[in-house]
Amino acid sequence: LYLAYPPLHYMNLGDFHMEPFASTLLLFAIYYLECGKWVRFLISAFLAMTTLEFIPLIIMFMVLYGFIMYVRNGYKDRTKALKFLVLTFIIAVLWFFSALKLKAIFNPYTAGVPSHWHRVLQNPMDIPKFLIENLEKKIFYAIAFFAPLAFVPFLAPTPLLMTLPWFGASFLSDNPLHYWIYAQYNGCLLYTSDAAD
């Protein structure tokens, strides 16, 4: 199913982007998280964070998913699991702010935060307006993303927690490519739809 999944193909049909690398590394991170292979999880998460400045947000939500598994007694060595989850979360937070700072240094002509969050942070009172802007296209994007999977990920909704950063960004965005299934940005979601399978 993963190899036949349309968003995977569309992500790779355009010009070169980092999202395909991020998606693969995030899949490894989720696999190792669920298996409790902590060093491999940390390495995969770290490598994923090196691809895009947005990925640490996804890693933070991945760690939240790990905490849910921890609370449900999903890990054998709970002390080790807790240490690695906290360590990964701290690294993700530090990496996110460091990436934004470096972006501002090396590319001072763009917004300091990813563009989809920039206007929200500037005008938080306009969030309802941003959400309803092109709402039908955004809803269709979400449907088109899960329809090829026959909506199976919703049978195990907990891993979908990891989709919140990107769906939040795409629903608040004014860039049509952020909520278009034929764009490379699907790499920020591919890992969770397949992990939920």
Side-chain angles (χ1 to χ4, degrees):
L1 283 175
Y2 178 70
L3 294 176
Y5 192 46
L8 175 69
H9 298 289
Y10 295 128
M11 180 176 65
N12 291 296
L13 289 178
D15 50 354
F16 180 80
H17 292 282
M18 296 304 293
E19 284 83 352
F21 295 106
S23 180
T24 302
L25 292 166
L26 289 168
L27 274 171
F28 277 114
I30 291 170
Y31 173 74
Y32 294 131
L33 173 72
E34 292 186 347
C35 292
K37 296 182 178 178
W38 297 109
V39 174
R40 293 178 185 184
F41 163 67
L42 184 58
I43 291 170
S44 299
F46 179 81
L47 290 174
M49 287 188 280
T50 65
T51 59
L52 297 162
E53 74 273 5
F54 188 81
I55 299 300
L57 289 174
I58 294 170
I59 296 294
M60 290 178 216
F61 277 77
M62 189 180 294
V63 169
L64 291 177
Y65 169 60
F67 277 120
I68 291 171
M69 292 177 60
Y70 174 85
V71 169
R72 293 178 179 170
N73 296 317
Y75 299 119
K76 293 177 186 173
D77 187 349
R78 292 174 55 80
T79 305
K80 188 175 183 180
L82 187 60
K83 286 179 184 176
F84 270 91
L85 288 170
V86 170
L87 176 63
T88 306
F89 191 83
I90 291 169
I91 291 171
V93 170
L94 293 174
W95 191 279
F96 178 69
F97 288 109
S98 299
L100 296 182
K101 200 60 145 164
L102 285 171
K103 181 182 175 186
I105 291 169
F106 288 107
N107 191 1
Y109 304 106
T110 63
V113 295
S115 59
H116 25 275
W117 293 114
H118 182 68
R119 71 184 191 142
V120 173
L121 293 173
Q122 280 186 327
N123 306 304
M125 298 305 290
D126 288 338
I127 288 177
K129 182 180 89 171
F130 298 148
L131 280 172
I132 61 170
E133 187 178 300
N134 291 322
L135 184 61
E136 66 284 346
K137 290 181 181 177
K138 294 172 182 178
I139 291 171
F140 180 76
Y141 170 66
I143 292 169
F145 193 83
F146 291 106
L149 301 168
F151 301 98
V152 169
F154 290 100
L155 296 176
T158 308
L160 293 177
L161 173 72
M162 295 178 282
T163 66
L164 293 180
W166 181 253
F167 273 126
S170 62
F171 271 65
L172 292 170
S173 179
D174 61 345
N175 182 348
L177 292 177
H178 290 159
Y179 45 88
W180 192 46
I181 199 163
Y182 304 111
Q184 75 274 7
Y185 297 106
N186 293 315
C188 294
L189 280 176
L190 275 179
Y191 60 91
T192 49
S193 61
D194 296 306
D197 290 343

